[in-house]
Amino acid sequence: MDFKRFVSIHKFWMISILVGSIIAINHFVDGVLLVNYDINGIPGNAYISWIGGSFFYSQSHWFYFTLPLLGSVAVGLDYGILKRRKYFDQYKIRMTKEHYIATLGIKVFLLGFSAIVIPLTLNFVLTMMERPLLYPDPLVAIGPQSDELGTTLYYLHPMIYTSIYICFDGIFAGAIALITVELCAIIENCYMATIVPFAISYILYTVGGLFVDSCFTLDRLLMPVYGAKSVIEYVAAVVFIVFSIVTWMGLGLKEEL
Amino acid sequence: MKIEVQKIKKIINKNVILDDISVEFVSGKIYGIKGKNGSGKTMFLRALCGLTRINAGKIIIDGKYLGQDMDFPERVGFLIEYPGFPGGLNAFDNLKVLASIKKCVSDEDIRDTISRVGLENDAKKKYRQYSLGMKQKLGIAAAIMEKPELILLDEPMNGLDDDAVMKFKTILQEEKERGALIIIVSHDLEELELVSDELYQMKEGRLEKK
C-alpha cells in the first residue's frame, strides 16, 4: 500500500527510472548479450563492457547526455506541480521549518540520485553476469588514460573506481534534482524549470564540442571511462553540489520552498 | 489556546496587505472574518499559521512567539485557498500520507474523518476525478483529521451543496465543543453569521469587529 502511494506521487520519477533502464538494458542486449567480444575485438571484460566502461556504443552517449534530464524530470514535474498547488504547506505545518527543509531536501536528493544509480547499477550487474570481472589492461587503453584523474585507482581497484563513479554520477543527479525543485519555486512554469538543467548542459555540450577533450562537456566528466582531465573539473562538480545544498537551505529558510 | 495578534503588518511590493492588526482569539469559539476579494483575509490566515512572514508586529500563541519560539503553531489544521493534493491518490491515501508525518492518527480515525465530511461513498475515487465540492471536503478533512487546537478555514463552503453545508456546520459545532479555536474567512456575510460566535470585517488590510 505504501509502495502504491509512493508510485502515485512519483510518476515522473518512475518514468525517469524507466527511460534510464531502457537505455541500460538496450546497451546490455546490443553490446554485451549479442556479442562475445567488445566492438573492437577485445575479449569481454565487465569493467570495459558496461555502459559507463567504454564509448563504443551509442547508448553510453545517450545515457550520459540525457543524465541531467533524467535527474530533473525525476522530481521537477511531480514536485513542481505539487509545489504550485501549495501542497507542501500541508507538510510544513506538521513539522518544524528545519525538519521540513531537511526531510524534503533528502527526499528530492535521493530521488535524483536513484534515478541515475538504479539504471547504471542494473547495467553493471547484468554485464557482470555475462562478462568476467577481469582487471582492465592498461595496454588496451580503454578506460581512463594516464593524464586523467583516478587512472591508478581504476587499474588497481576497478570495482571501487566503478562504484565511486556510479555514486558520483548519482550525487551529481541528486544536486540537479535539488536545483530543479529550487527552480520550480522561483519559475512559475515547472515544465520550464525542469528543462533548465538539461538546457545548460546542452549549451556546455555544444561549447565543449568546439574543443578537443574539453572539460566543459558534462557527459565526458560523468562517464567513468573518461574521468576528469584536471582536478578543476572535480572541484567545479563539488562546487555545484555544495551550491545546490546551500541554495536549498537558503530558499528553505526564506520560506520559498 | 489563546492567540494574541499585536499590530501586525504585511507589506508586499510597497502594498500594505495587513495594516496594523491587533486582535485576540480564544479556544472554544468560532470567529468569522468577512471581506471582499483582495482585502487581506487569506494573507491573515497564512500569517496566523506561520506560512508567511509578517513585516512588523507579533503573533503570540499560548505565550510563545510565532516565528521565534516556533515556526508554526503546534497543532494547527488549515484549508487555505483551493486545496491541492496528489491527483493519483484517493481520499484515504491522501490523508494517510499527511497523517504519516506526525503519526498521531490511526487508519480508523482517517476513515471516520472521511465519513464525517461525507466522502465515504467516493472514497475509492482518485483526487483528479473529484468535483470542486469533493476537493473542498477533502481539504476540510485534512484540516480536522488530527484534532488540531487551531483550525483555519478559507472560504470553506465554496462548492459545497446544501447537504454538505449542513454536515460542515455540524463539524464546526463538534470541533468547537471539543475546544478548538476556529477562524473562518469568507466573502459571504450570511454564511458567517450563521456559524460564527464573533464576527470581524477585513477592509483594505484592517480588521474591525462588527
Side-chain angles (χ1 to χ4, degrees):
Chain A
M1 196 59 168
D2 281 333
F3 181 72
K4 193 191 105 190
R5 272 183 223 121
F6 179 85
V7 170
S8 294
I9 297 177
H10 300 99
K11 284 188 295 294
F12 283 95
W13 177 79
M14 296 291 289
I15 290 171
S16 269
I17 296 273
L18 191 68
V19 171
S21 299
I22 286 171
I23 299 174
I25 291 170
N26 186 258
H27 169 274
F28 169 71
V29 172
D30 201 21
V32 180
L33 205 59
L34 297 181
V35 288
N36 291 325
Y37 290 88
D38 283 324
I39 201 163
N40 59 347
I42 299 161
N45 178 349
Y47 292 115
I48 59 174
S49 297
W50 79 292
I51 196 167
S54 65
F55 37 76
F56 298 125
Y57 286 93
S58 58
Q59 292 94 336
S60 299
H61 292 286
W62 272 110
F63 188 85
Y64 289 98
F65 178 65
T66 54
L67 189 148
L69 195 59
L70 295 175
S72 64
V73 167
V75 294
L77 300 180
D78 290 324
Y79 280 55
I81 290 167
L82 289 175
K83 167 90 190 70
R84 207 170 49 185
R85 291 182 191 160
K86 297 193 168 142
Y87 174 67
F88 291 121
D89 286 351
Q90 294 280 359
Y91 275 57
K92 284 181 193 172
I93 57 139
R94 290 170 167 86
M95 308 177 180
T96 62
K97 198 189 289 178
E98 290 78 12
H99 188 196
Y100 169 76
I101 295 167
T103 308
L104 194 67
I106 291 167
K107 209 170 174 180
V108 167
F109 182 86
L110 288 179
L111 288 167
F113 179 88
S114 53
I116 296 307
V117 168
I118 289 174
L120 283 181
T121 309
L122 173 72
N123 180 273
F124 189 54
V125 169
L126 288 173
T127 307
M128 276 198 299
M129 290 161 71
E130 278 295 312
R131 295 281 159 92
L133 277 170
L134 298 174
Y135 274 63
D137 185 351
L139 297 175
V140 171
I142 298 170
Q145 307 295 303
S146 56
D147 60 341
E148 286 160 350
L149 296 170
T151 306
T152 312
L153 182 65
Y154 177 72
Y155 289 105
L156 288 179
H157 304 286
M159 181 61 90
I160 295 174
Y161 177 89
T162 305
S163 306
I164 289 175
Y165 229 103
I166 290 175
C167 287
F168 171 70
D169 289 348
I171 291 168
F172 202 88
I176 287 172
L178 286 176
I179 294 277
T180 306
V181 176
E182 290 166 25
L183 288 169
C184 287
I186 298 164
I187 303 170
E188 191 139 330
N189 187 329
C190 59
Y191 295 95
M192 191 82 86
T194 303
I195 211 84
V196 166
F198 179 70
I200 291 171
S201 73
Y202 187 78
I203 291 166
L204 291 173
Y205 181 83
T206 309
V207 172
L210 301 174
F211 306 94
V212 177
D213 279 347
S214 169
C215 60
F216 292 114
T217 313
L218 194 59
D219 61 337
R220 195 194 162 287
L221 172 68
L222 297 171
M223 275 179 90
V225 65
Y226 287 114
K229 285 273 184 206
S230 119
V231 77
I232 294 168
E233 291 176 53
Y234 285 128
V235 170
V238 170
V239 166
F240 171 71
I241 291 160
V242 171
F243 173 79
S244 72
I245 297 167
V246 170
T247 47
W248 178 271
M249 291 194 295
L251 281 174
L253 291 172
K254 276 183 75 184
E255 291 163 14
E256 297 285 337
L257 291 174
Chain B
M1 174 179 250
K2 183 179 176 187
I3 300 178
E4 297 163 71
V5 178
Q6 297 179 352
K7 296 188 170 183
I8 64 165
K9 270 196 174 190
K10 175 75 185 176
I11 301 163
I12 300 175
N13 297 334
K14 294 179 184 171
N15 293 321
V16 181
I17 312 295
L18 301 177
D19 189 6
D20 212 24
I21 294 177
S22 294
V23 65
E24 271 189 26
F25 302 114
V26 291
S27 54
K29 278 191 170 183
I30 301 174
Y31 296 89
I33 300 174
K34 192 232 171 224
K36 288 180 185 170
N37 294 338
S39 60
K41 308 183 298 288
T42 302
M43 189 61 77
F44 182 59
L45 287 195
R46 290 185 70 81
L48 283 183
C49 59
L51 287 171
T52 193
R53 283 186 183 185
I54 47 174
N55 300 100
K58 289 181 174 69
I59 298 172
I60 307 161
I61 301 175
D62 288 337
K64 289 181 181 173
Y65 288 80
L66 190 65
Q68 292 171 26
D69 300 329
M70 56 182 162
D71 297 319
F72 310 106
E74 272 162 29
R75 287 176 61 198
V76 60
F78 73 81
L79 166 67
I80 296 180
E81 296 168 321
Y82 292 107
F85 292 93
L89 299 180
N90 61 31
F92 178 84
D93 287 340
N94 261 310
L95 295 181
K96 178 77 180 170
V97 169
L98 295 179
S100 66
I101 299 168
K102 278 187 154 179
K103 296 185 177 71
C104 61
V105 186
S106 67
D107 287 1
E108 204 45 53
D109 291 333
I110 295 173
R111 286 194 190 91
D112 178 52
T113 309
I114 289 171
S115 154
R116 280 177 76 195
V117 297
L119 269 178
E120 68 273 28
N121 295 331
D122 303 298
K124 285 186 179 170
K125 265 191 185 172
K126 290 185 174 171
Y127 181 74
R128 72 167 74 90
Q129 299 166 316
Y130 278 18
S131 66
L132 178 63
M134 288 158 73
K135 287 179 180 174
Q136 201 73 355
K137 286 178 190 176
L138 186 61
I140 294 167
I144 61 167
M145 132 180 105
E146 286 159 326
K147 298 185 172 53
E149 290 178 329
L150 173 62
I151 301 173
L152 305 170
L153 303 167
D154 184 5
E155 308 279 2
M157 287 175 261
N158 265 4
L160 297 185
D161 57 30
D162 291 346
D163 286 351
V165 168
M166 288 305 291
K167 270 195 171 166
F168 173 67
K169 285 175 184 168
T170 311
I171 289 171
L172 283 182
Q173 285 309 312
E174 286 167 354
E175 293 300 310
K176 179 185 158 183
E177 281 160 24
R178 187 174 59 76
L181 192 169
I182 304 166
I183 302 174
I184 304 174
V185 305
S186 173
H187 62 274
D188 190 334
L189 185 61
E190 265 182 52
E191 264 180 14
L192 285 175
E193 278 178 336
L194 286 171
V195 295
S196 308
D197 297 315
E198 284 186 30
L199 210 53
Y200 291 84
Q201 166 109 29
M202 182 76 89
K203 210 172 181 181
E204 291 167 359
R206 299 185 77 90
L207 192 68
E208 295 157 9
K209 193 164 184 180
K210 286 204 80 168

PDB file of all heavy atoms in Angstrom, chain B residues 165-193:
ATOM      1  N   VAL B 165     -23.108  21.487   3.246  1.00  0.00           N
ATOM      2  CA  VAL B 165     -23.025  22.671   4.113  1.00  0.00           C
ATOM      3  C   VAL B 165     -23.562  22.326   5.503  1.00  0.00           C
ATOM      4  O   VAL B 165     -22.987  22.704   6.523  1.00  0.00           O
ATOM      5  CB  VAL B 165     -23.803  23.867   3.498  1.00  0.00           C
ATOM      6  CG1 VAL B 165     -23.968  24.999   4.503  1.00  0.00           C
ATOM      7  CG2 VAL B 165     -23.080  24.371   2.252  1.00  0.00           C
ATOM      8  N   MET B 166     -24.675  21.556   5.536  1.00  0.00           N
ATOM      9  CA  MET B 166     -25.244  21.143   6.819  1.00  0.00           C
ATOM     10  C   MET B 166     -24.236  20.295   7.612  1.00  0.00           C
ATOM     11  O   MET B 166     -24.037  20.487   8.808  1.00  0.00           O
ATOM     12  CB  MET B 166     -26.533  20.320   6.603  1.00  0.00           C
ATOM     13  CG  MET B 166     -27.715  21.142   6.126  1.00  0.00           C
ATOM     14  SD  MET B 166     -28.076  22.529   7.205  1.00  0.00           S
ATOM     15  CE  MET B 166     -28.686  21.645   8.640  1.00  0.00           C
ATOM     16  N   LYS B 167     -23.620  19.358   6.899  1.00  0.00           N
ATOM     17  CA  LYS B 167     -22.606  18.494   7.543  1.00  0.00           C
ATOM     18  C   LYS B 167     -21.455  19.338   8.074  1.00  0.00           C
ATOM     19  O   LYS B 167     -20.935  19.111   9.166  1.00  0.00           O
ATOM     20  CB  LYS B 167     -22.060  17.471   6.532  1.00  0.00           C
ATOM     21  CG  LYS B 167     -22.835  16.192   6.515  1.00  0.00           C
ATOM     22  CD  LYS B 167     -22.087  15.082   5.811  1.00  0.00           C
ATOM     23  CE  LYS B 167     -22.869  13.799   6.058  1.00  0.00           C
ATOM     24  NZ  LYS B 167     -22.508  12.713   5.240  1.00  0.00           N
ATOM     25  N   PHE B 168     -21.058  20.319   7.251  1.00  0.00           N
ATOM     26  CA  PHE B 168     -19.931  21.170   7.637  1.00  0.00           C
ATOM     27  C   PHE B 168     -20.263  21.949   8.915  1.00  0.00           C
ATOM     28  O   PHE B 168     -19.416  22.071   9.818  1.00  0.00           O
ATOM     29  CB  PHE B 168     -19.599  22.125   6.481  1.00  0.00           C
ATOM     30  CG  PHE B 168     -18.567  23.161   6.829  1.00  0.00           C
ATOM     31  CD1 PHE B 168     -17.253  22.788   7.090  1.00  0.00           C
ATOM     32  CD2 PHE B 168     -18.903  24.505   6.926  1.00  0.00           C
ATOM     33  CE1 PHE B 168     -16.299  23.741   7.432  1.00  0.00           C
ATOM     34  CE2 PHE B 168     -17.957  25.454   7.266  1.00  0.00           C
ATOM     35  CZ  PHE B 168     -16.647  25.071   7.516  1.00  0.00           C
ATOM     36  N   LYS B 169     -21.503  22.448   8.994  1.00  0.00           N
ATOM     37  CA  LYS B 169     -21.897  23.199  10.196  1.00  0.00           C
ATOM     38  C   LYS B 169     -21.880  22.295  11.429  1.00  0.00           C
ATOM     39  O   LYS B 169     -21.500  22.722  12.529  1.00  0.00           O
ATOM     40  CB  LYS B 169     -23.284  23.811   9.991  1.00  0.00           C
ATOM     41  CG  LYS B 169     -23.244  25.019   9.055  1.00  0.00           C
ATOM     42  CD  LYS B 169     -24.628  25.541   8.768  1.00  0.00           C
ATOM     43  CE  LYS B 169     -24.552  26.676   7.755  1.00  0.00           C
ATOM     44  NZ  LYS B 169     -25.876  27.037   7.232  1.00  0.00           N
ATOM     45  N   THR B 170     -22.293  21.048  11.248  1.00  0.00           N
ATOM     46  CA  THR B 170     -22.247  20.085  12.363  1.00  0.00           C
ATOM     47  C   THR B 170     -20.799  19.875  12.811  1.00  0.00           C
ATOM     48  O   THR B 170     -20.502  19.854  14.010  1.00  0.00           O
ATOM     49  CB  THR B 170     -22.863  18.729  11.921  1.00  0.00           C
ATOM     50  OG1 THR B 170     -24.102  18.994  11.305  1.00  0.00           O
ATOM     51  CG2 THR B 170     -23.034  17.777  13.083  1.00  0.00           C
ATOM     52  N   ILE B 171     -19.920  19.721  11.819  1.00  0.00           N
ATOM     53  CA  ILE B 171     -18.494  19.517  12.136  1.00  0.00           C
ATOM     54  C   ILE B 171     -17.961  20.707  12.933  1.00  0.00           C
ATOM     55  O   ILE B 171     -17.261  20.535  13.938  1.00  0.00           O
ATOM     56  CB  ILE B 171     -17.667  19.338  10.836  1.00  0.00           C
ATOM     57  CG1 ILE B 171     -17.976  17.992  10.195  1.00  0.00           C
ATOM     58  CG2 ILE B 171     -16.166  19.456  11.104  1.00  0.00           C
ATOM     59  CD1 ILE B 171     -17.384  17.805   8.798  1.00  0.00           C
ATOM     60  N   LEU B 172     -18.327  21.907  12.491  1.00  0.00           N
ATOM     61  CA  LEU B 172     -17.853  23.106  13.198  1.00  0.00           C
ATOM     62  C   LEU B 172     -18.281  23.095  14.657  1.00  0.00           C
ATOM     63  O   LEU B 172     -17.488  23.388  15.555  1.00  0.00           O
ATOM     64  CB  LEU B 172     -18.398  24.367  12.522  1.00  0.00           C
ATOM     65  CG  LEU B 172     -17.733  24.823  11.218  1.00  0.00           C
ATOM     66  CD1 LEU B 172     -18.388  26.108  10.729  1.00  0.00           C
ATOM     67  CD2 LEU B 172     -16.237  25.035  11.393  1.00  0.00           C
ATOM     68  N   GLN B 173     -19.540  22.734  14.892  1.00  0.00           N
ATOM     69  CA  GLN B 173     -20.056  22.696  16.270  1.00  0.00           C
ATOM     70  C   GLN B 173     -19.321  21.639  17.093  1.00  0.00           C
ATOM     71  O   GLN B 173     -18.952  21.880  18.244  1.00  0.00           O
ATOM     72  CB  GLN B 173     -21.568  22.406  16.276  1.00  0.00           C
ATOM     73  CG  GLN B 173     -22.430  23.599  15.864  1.00  0.00           C
ATOM     74  CD  GLN B 173     -22.097  24.881  16.627  1.00  0.00           C
ATOM     75  OE1 GLN B 173     -21.990  24.879  17.856  1.00  0.00           O
ATOM     76  NE2 GLN B 173     -21.925  25.989  15.899  1.00  0.00           N
ATOM     77  N   GLU B 174     -19.091  20.471  16.471  1.00  0.00           N
ATOM     78  CA  GLU B 174     -18.393  19.389  17.190  1.00  0.00           C
ATOM     79  C   GLU B 174     -16.961  19.812  17.549  1.00  0.00           C
ATOM     80  O   GLU B 174     -16.469  19.544  18.644  1.00  0.00           O
ATOM     81  CB  GLU B 174     -18.339  18.121  16.314  1.00  0.00           C
ATOM     82  CG  GLU B 174     -19.684  17.411  16.208  1.00  0.00           C
ATOM     83  CD  GLU B 174     -19.724  16.356  15.102  1.00  0.00           C
ATOM     84  OE1 GLU B 174     -18.754  16.237  14.331  1.00  0.00           O
ATOM     85  OE2 GLU B 174     -20.748  15.656  15.013  1.00  0.00           O
ATOM     86  N   GLU B 175     -16.304  20.461  16.586  1.00  0.00           N
ATOM     87  CA  GLU B 175     -14.913  20.900  16.827  1.00  0.00           C
ATOM     88  C   GLU B 175     -14.878  21.991  17.898  1.00  0.00           C
ATOM     89  O   GLU B 175     -13.970  22.034  18.723  1.00  0.00           O
ATOM     90  CB  GLU B 175     -14.278  21.405  15.525  1.00  0.00           C
ATOM     91  CG  GLU B 175     -14.050  20.331  14.474  1.00  0.00           C
ATOM     92  CD  GLU B 175     -13.134  19.211  14.946  1.00  0.00           C
ATOM     93  OE1 GLU B 175     -12.042  19.505  15.460  1.00  0.00           O
ATOM     94  OE2 GLU B 175     -13.524  18.031  14.818  1.00  0.00           O
ATOM     95  N   LYS B 176     -15.870  22.858  17.854  1.00  0.00           N
ATOM     96  CA  LYS B 176     -15.947  23.923  18.864  1.00  0.00           C
ATOM     97  C   LYS B 176     -16.160  23.320  20.256  1.00  0.00           C
ATOM     98  O   LYS B 176     -15.488  23.709  21.225  1.00  0.00           O
ATOM     99  CB  LYS B 176     -17.121  24.852  18.504  1.00  0.00           C
ATOM    100  CG  LYS B 176     -17.358  25.984  19.467  1.00  0.00           C
ATOM    101  CD  LYS B 176     -18.612  26.737  19.058  1.00  0.00           C
ATOM    102  CE  LYS B 176     -19.182  27.500  20.238  1.00  0.00           C
ATOM    103  NZ  LYS B 176     -20.435  28.183  19.903  1.00  0.00           N
ATOM    104  N   GLU B 177     -17.058  22.336  20.340  1.00  0.00           N
ATOM    105  CA  GLU B 177     -17.321  21.689  21.638  1.00  0.00           C
ATOM    106  C   GLU B 177     -16.085  20.933  22.141  1.00  0.00           C
ATOM    107  O   GLU B 177     -15.863  20.807  23.334  1.00  0.00           O
ATOM    108  CB  GLU B 177     -18.509  20.733  21.522  1.00  0.00           C
ATOM    109  CG  GLU B 177     -19.835  21.477  21.562  1.00  0.00           C
ATOM    110  CD  GLU B 177     -20.987  20.666  20.985  1.00  0.00           C
ATOM    111  OE1 GLU B 177     -20.890  19.428  20.978  1.00  0.00           O
ATOM    112  OE2 GLU B 177     -21.963  21.293  20.518  1.00  0.00           O
ATOM    113  N   ARG B 178     -15.283  20.447  21.197  1.00  0.00           N
ATOM    114  CA  ARG B 178     -14.040  19.766  21.564  1.00  0.00           C
ATOM    115  C   ARG B 178     -13.033  20.744  22.160  1.00  0.00           C
ATOM    116  O   ARG B 178     -12.087  20.368  22.845  1.00  0.00           O
ATOM    117  CB  ARG B 178     -13.463  19.090  20.311  1.00  0.00           C
ATOM    118  CG  ARG B 178     -12.268  18.212  20.514  1.00  0.00           C
ATOM    119  CD  ARG B 178     -11.871  17.494  19.231  1.00  0.00           C
ATOM    120  NE  ARG B 178     -11.548  18.396  18.137  1.00  0.00           N
ATOM    121  CZ  ARG B 178     -10.406  19.077  18.034  1.00  0.00           C
ATOM    122  NH1 ARG B 178      -9.497  18.964  18.967  1.00  0.00           N
ATOM    123  NH2 ARG B 178     -10.192  19.881  17.008  1.00  0.00           N
ATOM    124  N   GLY B 179     -13.252  22.040  21.892  1.00  0.00           N
ATOM    125  CA  GLY B 179     -12.366  23.067  22.439  1.00  0.00           C
ATOM    126  C   GLY B 179     -11.445  23.713  21.422  1.00  0.00           C
ATOM    127  O   GLY B 179     -10.514  24.427  21.789  1.00  0.00           O
ATOM    128  N   ALA B 180     -11.702  23.448  20.139  1.00  0.00           N
ATOM    129  CA  ALA B 180     -10.828  24.029  19.104  1.00  0.00           C
ATOM    130  C   ALA B 180     -11.132  25.512  18.913  1.00  0.00           C
ATOM    131  O   ALA B 180     -12.253  25.971  19.157  1.00  0.00           O
ATOM    132  CB  ALA B 180     -11.026  23.290  17.788  1.00  0.00           C
ATOM    133  N   LEU B 181     -10.110  26.231  18.503  1.00  0.00           N
ATOM    134  CA  LEU B 181     -10.286  27.641  18.128  1.00  0.00           C
ATOM    135  C   LEU B 181     -10.426  27.656  16.602  1.00  0.00           C
ATOM    136  O   LEU B 181      -9.530  27.193  15.890  1.00  0.00           O
ATOM    137  CB  LEU B 181      -9.049  28.427  18.565  1.00  0.00           C
ATOM    138  CG  LEU B 181      -9.071  29.958  18.548  1.00  0.00           C
ATOM    139  CD1 LEU B 181      -7.843  30.489  19.267  1.00  0.00           C
ATOM    140  CD2 LEU B 181      -9.213  30.584  17.210  1.00  0.00           C
ATOM    141  N   ILE B 182     -11.540  28.156  16.115  1.00  0.00           N
ATOM    142  CA  ILE B 182     -11.807  28.086  14.670  1.00  0.00           C
ATOM    143  C   ILE B 182     -11.925  29.499  14.096  1.00  0.00           C
ATOM    144  O   ILE B 182     -12.653  30.346  14.641  1.00  0.00           O
ATOM    145  CB  ILE B 182     -13.112  27.294  14.396  1.00  0.00           C
ATOM    146  CG1 ILE B 182     -13.020  25.897  15.033  1.00  0.00           C
ATOM    147  CG2 ILE B 182     -13.376  27.183  12.897  1.00  0.00           C
ATOM    148  CD1 ILE B 182     -14.343  25.159  15.118  1.00  0.00           C
ATOM    149  N   ILE B 183     -11.196  29.743  13.036  1.00  0.00           N
ATOM    150  CA  ILE B 183     -11.306  31.032  12.338  1.00  0.00           C
ATOM    151  C   ILE B 183     -11.705  30.746  10.893  1.00  0.00           C
ATOM    152  O   ILE B 183     -11.037  29.980  10.192  1.00  0.00           O
ATOM    153  CB  ILE B 183      -9.976  31.816  12.385  1.00  0.00           C
ATOM    154  CG1 ILE B 183      -9.548  32.048  13.843  1.00  0.00           C
ATOM    155  CG2 ILE B 183     -10.115  33.146  11.643  1.00  0.00           C
ATOM    156  CD1 ILE B 183      -8.174  32.686  14.008  1.00  0.00           C
ATOM    157  N   ILE B 184     -12.814  31.348  10.492  1.00  0.00           N
ATOM    158  CA  ILE B 184     -13.300  31.138   9.124  1.00  0.00           C
ATOM    159  C   ILE B 184     -13.289  32.477   8.399  1.00  0.00           C
ATOM    160  O   ILE B 184     -13.780  33.480   8.945  1.00  0.00           O
ATOM    161  CB  ILE B 184     -14.752  30.599   9.116  1.00  0.00           C
ATOM    162  CG1 ILE B 184     -14.837  29.322   9.949  1.00  0.00           C
ATOM    163  CG2 ILE B 184     -15.232  30.337   7.710  1.00  0.00           C
ATOM    164  CD1 ILE B 184     -16.261  28.815  10.110  1.00  0.00           C
ATOM    165  N   VAL B 185     -12.760  32.509   7.211  1.00  0.00           N
ATOM    166  CA  VAL B 185     -12.874  33.736   6.417  1.00  0.00           C
ATOM    167  C   VAL B 185     -13.731  33.446   5.193  1.00  0.00           C
ATOM    168  O   VAL B 185     -13.700  32.353   4.641  1.00  0.00           O
ATOM    169  CB  VAL B 185     -11.500  34.317   5.995  1.00  0.00           C
ATOM    170  CG1 VAL B 185     -10.592  34.556   7.174  1.00  0.00           C
ATOM    171  CG2 VAL B 185     -10.816  33.451   4.967  1.00  0.00           C
ATOM    172  N   SER B 186     -14.518  34.438   4.851  1.00  0.00           N
ATOM    173  CA  SER B 186     -15.415  34.277   3.705  1.00  0.00           C
ATOM    174  C   SER B 186     -15.844  35.661   3.204  1.00  0.00           C
ATOM    175  O   SER B 186     -15.763  36.645   3.937  1.00  0.00           O
ATOM    176  CB  SER B 186     -16.647  33.467   4.129  1.00  0.00           C
ATOM    177  OG  SER B 186     -17.586  33.436   3.092  1.00  0.00           O
ATOM    178  N   HIS B 187     -16.297  35.696   1.953  1.00  0.00           N
ATOM    179  CA  HIS B 187     -16.837  36.965   1.456  1.00  0.00           C
ATOM    180  C   HIS B 187     -18.345  37.021   1.686  1.00  0.00           C
ATOM    181  O   HIS B 187     -18.983  38.042   1.482  1.00  0.00           O
ATOM    182  CB  HIS B 187     -16.519  37.119  -0.046  1.00  0.00           C
ATOM    183  CG  HIS B 187     -17.144  36.043  -0.869  1.00  0.00           C
ATOM    184  ND1 HIS B 187     -16.535  34.822  -1.065  1.00  0.00           N
ATOM    185  CD2 HIS B 187     -18.328  35.981  -1.510  1.00  0.00           C
ATOM    186  CE1 HIS B 187     -17.319  34.070  -1.814  1.00  0.00           C
ATOM    187  NE2 HIS B 187     -18.422  34.751  -2.082  1.00  0.00           N
ATOM    188  N   ASP B 188     -18.906  35.895   2.156  1.00  0.00           N
ATOM    189  CA  ASP B 188     -20.357  35.783   2.302  1.00  0.00           C
ATOM    190  C   ASP B 188     -20.767  36.022   3.762  1.00  0.00           C
ATOM    191  O   ASP B 188     -20.551  35.165   4.625  1.00  0.00           O
ATOM    192  CB  ASP B 188     -20.786  34.379   1.842  1.00  0.00           C
ATOM    193  CG  ASP B 188     -22.296  34.249   1.735  1.00  0.00           C
ATOM    194  OD1 ASP B 188     -23.004  34.994   2.450  1.00  0.00           O
ATOM    195  OD2 ASP B 188     -22.753  33.408   0.950  1.00  0.00           O
ATOM    196  N   LEU B 189     -21.372  37.172   4.011  1.00  0.00           N
ATOM    197  CA  LEU B 189     -21.732  37.559   5.379  1.00  0.00           C
ATOM    198  C   LEU B 189     -22.783  36.619   5.984  1.00  0.00           C
ATOM    199  O   LEU B 189     -22.694  36.238   7.149  1.00  0.00           O
ATOM    200  CB  LEU B 189     -22.240  39.007   5.394  1.00  0.00           C
ATOM    201  CG  LEU B 189     -22.548  39.587   6.768  1.00  0.00           C
ATOM    202  CD1 LEU B 189     -21.306  39.605   7.641  1.00  0.00           C
ATOM    203  CD2 LEU B 189     -23.140  40.988   6.652  1.00  0.00           C
ATOM    204  N   GLU B 190     -23.752  36.209   5.161  1.00  0.00           N
ATOM    205  CA  GLU B 190     -24.833  35.346   5.663  1.00  0.00           C
ATOM    206  C   GLU B 190     -24.277  34.024   6.207  1.00  0.00           C
ATOM    207  O   GLU B 190     -24.647  33.574   7.280  1.00  0.00           O
ATOM    208  CB  GLU B 190     -25.818  35.034   4.529  1.00  0.00           C
ATOM    209  CG  GLU B 190     -27.004  35.975   4.506  1.00  0.00           C
ATOM    210  CD  GLU B 190     -27.962  35.595   3.390  1.00  0.00           C
ATOM    211  OE1 GLU B 190     -28.357  34.417   3.331  1.00  0.00           O
ATOM    212  OE2 GLU B 190     -28.294  36.492   2.590  1.00  0.00           O
ATOM    213  N   GLU B 191     -23.385  33.429   5.408  1.00  0.00           N
ATOM    214  CA  GLU B 191     -22.736  32.166   5.813  1.00  0.00           C
ATOM    215  C   GLU B 191     -22.064  32.324   7.177  1.00  0.00           C
ATOM    216  O   GLU B 191     -22.220  31.500   8.068  1.00  0.00           O
ATOM    217  CB  GLU B 191     -21.609  31.841   4.818  1.00  0.00           C
ATOM    218  CG  GLU B 191     -21.951  30.902   3.726  1.00  0.00           C
ATOM    219  CD  GLU B 191     -20.760  30.667   2.800  1.00  0.00           C
ATOM    220  OE1 GLU B 191     -19.623  31.036   3.162  1.00  0.00           O
ATOM    221  OE2 GLU B 191     -20.996  30.144   1.713  1.00  0.00           O
ATOM    222  N   LEU B 192     -21.323  33.414   7.296  1.00  0.00           N
ATOM    223  CA  LEU B 192     -20.546  33.627   8.521  1.00  0.00           C
ATOM    224  C   LEU B 192     -21.429  33.879   9.724  1.00  0.00           C
ATOM    225  O   LEU B 192     -21.164  33.378  10.815  1.00  0.00           O
ATOM    226  CB  LEU B 192     -19.579  34.802   8.329  1.00  0.00           C
ATOM    227  CG  LEU B 192     -18.348  34.529   7.459  1.00  0.00           C
ATOM    228  CD1 LEU B 192     -17.553  35.797   7.261  1.00  0.00           C
ATOM    229  CD2 LEU B 192     -17.481  33.454   8.088  1.00  0.00           C
ATOM    230  N   GLU B 193     -22.492  34.664   9.520  1.00  0.00           N
ATOM    231  CA  GLU B 193     -23.383  34.998  10.649  1.00  0.00           C
ATOM    232  C   GLU B 193     -24.003  33.740  11.254  1.00  0.00           C
ATOM    233  O   GLU B 193     -24.250  33.666  12.444  1.00  0.00           O
ATOM    234  CB  GLU B 193     -24.481  35.953  10.172  1.00  0.00           C
ATOM    235  CG  GLU B 193     -23.987  37.394  10.134  1.00  0.00           C
ATOM    236  CD  GLU B 193     -25.037  38.368   9.624  1.00  0.00           C
ATOM    237  OE1 GLU B 193     -25.948  37.941   8.893  1.00  0.00           O
ATOM    238  OE2 GLU B 193     -24.912  39.557   9.946  1.00  0.00           O
TER     239      GLU B 193
END
